[in-house]
Amino acid sequence: MIELGHLAAFLALAASLAQGVFGLTGARALAGRSAHVAFGVMGLSFLTLVVAFAESDFSLALAANNSHTLKPMIYKIAGAWGNHEGSMALWCLVTLGFGAAGAFWMRTGRDQFEARALGVQGLLACGALAYLLFASSPYLRLDPAPLQGSGLNPILQDPALAFHPPMLYLGYVGYSFVFALAAAGLMDGRIDRVWAKEARRWALAAFIPLTLGIALGSYWAYYELGWGGWWFWDPVENASLMPWLIGAALMHSVVVTEKRGSFAAWTALLAVLAFLFSVMGAFLVRSGILTSVHAFAVDPKRGMLLLAGLMIYGGFALGLFALRAPKLDGGKPWEMFSREGALVANNVVLVVAALTVLLGTLFPLIAEAAGRTISVGEPYFRLTFVPMLALLLLILPVVQVWSWGKTDLSGLWKWAAGGVALVAVFLLLGVGLWDIPLGAAFGLALGVWLMFGAVWELKRRAVTPGRVFRLPLRVWGMTLAHMGLGVFIIGAVVETTQRYEATLALPVGGTGTVAGWTITLTDVYAIEGPNWYADQADLTARKGSTVAELAPTKRYYPAARMPTTETAIHKTGAGDLYIALGDRRDVGGEDRWVLRVYLNPLIDLVYLGVLLMGLGALLSLWPTRRRTADAS
């Protein structure tokens, strides 16, 4: 069956090449059919890998290296993409899937433009498939086949991580089709409203799963790794954050192109950069140059092939941009203190923020190449990234009410007065009643400011209360996304600045106190799972009338010879009581168990905010039959 999958992958390569040739020669119908064929046969190819993992067919080297007969079925299936070769097969499948979806849904009335977009997408798929088949083949056989597999990396054996890669790839690879649209538009010399309307849909289709995929990865790291936080500025986390920032800038810029016909060149450039940053993320994760729990261990030769692909894609796109961008229509005139001017500032800040993250991610590698060891962590990002983003969010509610194309500062003093009053109130509360740092007080004021601005914008557009529910979904989507951003800021500020952590070393039957919680270690005993064994602690946590039973465990996976930490989390409504079981120690002849205890206030607001942003983007993507002046 694997041989069938291998053959199907070669057929997908041939079909995607045909898609590229037909598309670039203007044969829209043939390019569309080729796209559907390529996706269909690659789907068959990927299915054979999944079946091999589900059946524990260890004659397949990929299954032997990443699966085990005792694994639960969900992790057997997830093993098909929980490794370098399988994840690249998934990358190819998603690339071809976007091409097939584009062939089905694109309706711009410009056959040559659509054909070229499909052609570029086909060539992108060709490059990915060639890398898969000739440099990272998942179809290799073992003879003789081992009786047992090595098992999937234990820290990846988690429901969130089973769905995290597919979700992330829908975002990463989704920008490949936006890239294809930009390339086709540049070839035609038309980045206009028709192009922008089409590009906006696909940019949203990529942004939504990328947002949710990042959130899934963050939540997994929070409860699985036992370190108590939700964002570590890990290089692989940064690799997904950078295209997200560029994608956010793209979404705002494409609205201006759709609404006013302006920013054509800038929007096309952002569409190119979004995909190039996604490919760069793939290079960073798979090249072997980064050390991270998220990264795939791959030899540098294959990493260099990915780097070569990035340079080819980037050289083609940026060269095409340099050639065609000066000839694009500049659109309607606008002034600095207009809605367009504000969106220019928005885009510049987001792009600079992405470049700041890139510098912080790559600088240790550059220093290491120069013979020095330099660590770049949270302090760097707090001093650079956070102030830039704060400045952007500070002006966001104000500029939403500015007019298109002309200066309109009539209500600016009211917003300025309101903002200053809000900040003053939170600063007074922060240094007085709450006793929190000034930065935290400002952050809380900023979160409330964003939520107020989102609601005010909804009220402004509705004019009358009864009309608010008849506003277009795009307006509701924008409101929810901006409100979600405010919720996220509040949760992130409170959790980051008010997190409390302590370490207890308790004997069985012993009791310790952490921030008002009395924690009793009732028992520690051995348990066994399908492919692991563990020490599990039974804990009782009391605070006032609240009693919580928790059972953190420390697992060991014999096949992978690797331990993992399974935390116990009790949600209080105001935050999480979070406990991880550590090692057993001999203290004065008495066995004691180390417990790492964290109190994470309002942590759920971080993920609620992200969900609201994703939901807002989804509402903006939802098709509507009518266009109104409100949908701006």
Side-chain angles (χ1 to χ4, degrees):
M1 187 157 182
I2 288 300
E3 286 70 24
L4 175 63
H6 200 179
L7 174 61
F10 274 103
L11 292 175
L13 176 61
S16 63
L17 180 59
Q19 176 186 337
V21 172
F22 288 138
L24 294 181
T25 54
R28 167 67 167 87
L30 290 175
R33 293 191 188 101
S34 299
H36 291 134
V37 170
F39 177 61
V41 292
M42 189 61 205
L44 173 63
S45 178
F46 193 77
L47 180 62
T48 63
L49 294 177
V50 173
V51 170
F53 272 82
E55 295 179 345
S56 296
D57 179 4
F58 298 131
S59 67
L60 178 67
L62 194 68
N65 294 330
N66 298 280
S67 192
H68 194 279
T69 55
L70 298 179
K71 280 199 312 181
M73 180 56 70
I74 184 175
Y75 302 132
K76 286 184 178 180
I77 294 173
W81 57 77
N83 53 81
H84 172 72
E85 291 83 359
S87 69
M88 286 307 303
L90 179 63
W91 183 289
C92 293
L93 179 65
V94 176
T95 303
L96 292 168
F98 270 93
F104 183 78
W105 272 302
M106 271 197 299
R107 295 291 184 271
T108 63
R110 298 177 179 177
D111 285 349
Q112 180 171 285
F113 162 73
E114 293 180 10
R116 284 175 167 173
L118 293 175
V120 173
Q121 186 72 7
L123 294 182
L124 292 176
C126 270
L129 282 163
Y131 176 82
L132 177 77
L133 289 168
F134 302 115
S136 296
S137 176
Y139 307 101
L140 301 179
R141 288 286 198 179
L142 292 177
D143 187 18
L147 297 176
Q148 188 55 273
S150 301
L152 179 67
N153 186 335
I155 64 172
L156 302 181
Q157 295 184 38
D158 182 88
L161 260 290
F163 299 103
H164 168 65
M167 191 73 72
L168 206 59
Y169 284 7
L170 284 171
Y172 272 167
V173 183
Y175 284 118
S176 69
F177 197 68
V178 185
F179 174 96
L181 292 172
L186 289 169
M187 289 179 197
D188 284 353
R190 287 199 291 183
I191 302 292
D192 54 12
R193 293 186 179 187
V194 173
W195 178 90
K197 181 179 180 182
E198 190 68 28
R200 188 185 71 85
R201 293 195 301 156
W202 296 100
L204 283 167
F207 184 81
I208 295 166
L210 181 59
T211 301
L212 298 180
I214 292 173
L216 272 177
S218 169
Y219 193 64
W220 164 81
Y222 171 65
Y223 70 76
E224 177 67 24
L225 299 183
W227 63 287
W230 55 274
W231 193 263
F232 192 65
W233 294 105
D234 179 275
V236 177
E237 290 176 332
N238 295 347
S240 61
L241 177 62
M242 288 184 287
W244 187 89
L245 291 168
I246 300 295
L250 172 62
M251 283 197 310
H252 289 87
S253 184
V254 78
V255 168
V256 183
T257 308
E258 181 185 6
K259 174 78 177 174
R260 304 279 293 175
S262 303
F263 294 10
W266 178 245
T267 304
L269 179 61
L270 289 174
V272 168
L273 291 178
F275 179 60
L276 293 184
F277 269 91
S278 296
V279 177
M280 182 184 296
F283 163 71
L284 292 174
V285 173
R286 291 169 172 78
S287 62
I289 65 174
L290 294 179
T291 301
S292 168
V293 295
H294 308 266
F296 295 108
V298 181
D299 63 88
K301 291 182 180 178
R302 286 191 281 183
M304 291 306 295
L305 287 175
L306 286 170
L307 181 60
L310 174 62
M311 294 177 68
I312 291 170
Y313 293 152
F316 162 73
L318 296 177
L320 182 62
F321 177 80
L323 184 66
R324 297 284 190 169
K327 301 176 183 177
L328 295 176
D329 183 9
K332 297 180 179 180
W334 52 274
E335 298 177 7
M336 181 61 68
F337 293 101
S338 63
R339 182 80 69 91
E340 292 96 329
L343 288 170
V344 166
N346 165 287
N347 284 316
V348 169
V349 171
L350 287 171
V351 171
V352 172
L355 294 176
T356 301
V357 175
L358 178 64
L359 178 63
T361 304
L362 296 184
F363 193 76
L365 304 176
I366 298 170
E368 185 178 348
R372 300 183 63 185
T373 301
I374 296 177
S375 176
V376 176
E378 185 177 353
Y380 163 81
F381 295 103
R382 272 194 183 179
L383 290 173
T384 57
F385 179 83
V386 172
M388 278 189 290
L389 210 59
L391 176 63
L392 171 66
L393 301 180
L394 186 64
I395 64 173
L396 180 61
V398 182
V399 301
Q400 286 181 146
V401 301
W402 284 1
S403 301
W404 291 104
K406 61 181 181 180
T407 298
D408 180 12
L409 304 179
S410 56
L412 182 60
W413 70 271
K414 295 180 181 178
W415 284 95
V420 169
L422 184 65
V423 170
V425 168
F426 273 88
L427 289 179
L428 289 173
L429 288 173
V431 299
L433 182 63
W434 296 337
D435 191 24
I436 61 176
L438 290 178
F442 178 80
L444 291 177
L446 184 59
V448 173
W449 175 249
L450 288 169
M451 294 172 66
F452 171 79
V455 174
W456 183 265
E457 179 66 5
L458 196 66
K459 175 182 178 297
R460 185 184 73 85
R461 289 173 179 264
V463 182
T464 59
R467 194 167 173 266
V468 67
F469 295 107
R470 295 199 297 271
L471 290 173
L473 288 178
R474 284 180 64 170
V475 174
W476 278 99
M478 180 189 69
T479 300
L480 278 180
H482 289 173
M483 184 172 288
L485 193 55
V487 172
F488 170 84
I489 294 296
I490 292 172
V493 167
V494 173
E495 196 281 332
T496 302
T497 61
Q498 301 302 301
R499 179 194 308 158
Y500 184 87
E501 57 185 272
T503 300
L504 298 176
L506 300 179
V508 173
T511 296
T513 302
V514 176
W517 285 91
T518 301
I519 299 170
T520 302
L521 177 60
T522 306
D523 195 8
V524 180
Y525 49 91
I527 60 173
E528 190 171 337
N531 61 332
W532 50 264
Y533 58 86
D535 290 319
Q536 178 168 299
D538 281 352
L539 302 171
T540 301
R542 291 183 173 86
K543 185 176 184 180
S545 60
T546 302
V547 180
E549 303 292 336
L550 300 102
T553 64
K554 196 173 185 65
R555 292 183 182 177
Y556 184 77
Y557 290 78
R561 299 176 183 176
M562 183 175 175
T564 66
T565 299
E566 304 296 320
T567 59
I569 300 174
H570 170 66
K571 294 191 174 295
T572 66
D576 287 356
L577 172 63
Y578 176 111
I579 302 179
L581 178 64
D583 298 325
R584 181 170 55 183
R585 294 181 182 175
D586 186 339
V587 180
E590 181 182 43
D591 281 344
R592 290 176 177 256
W593 290 87
V594 175
L595 301 172
R596 296 191 303 277
V597 183
Y598 301 85
L599 295 172
N600 297 323
L602 300 187
I603 180 69
D604 289 337
L605 291 188
V606 170
Y607 299 104
L608 175 60
V610 174
L611 288 176
L612 287 175
M613 283 188 270
L615 178 59
L618 182 61
L619 288 179
S620 298
L621 179 62
W622 201 266
T624 179
R625 293 184 178 180
R626 62 188 182 90
R627 293 175 59 89
T628 72
D630 295 315
S632 59

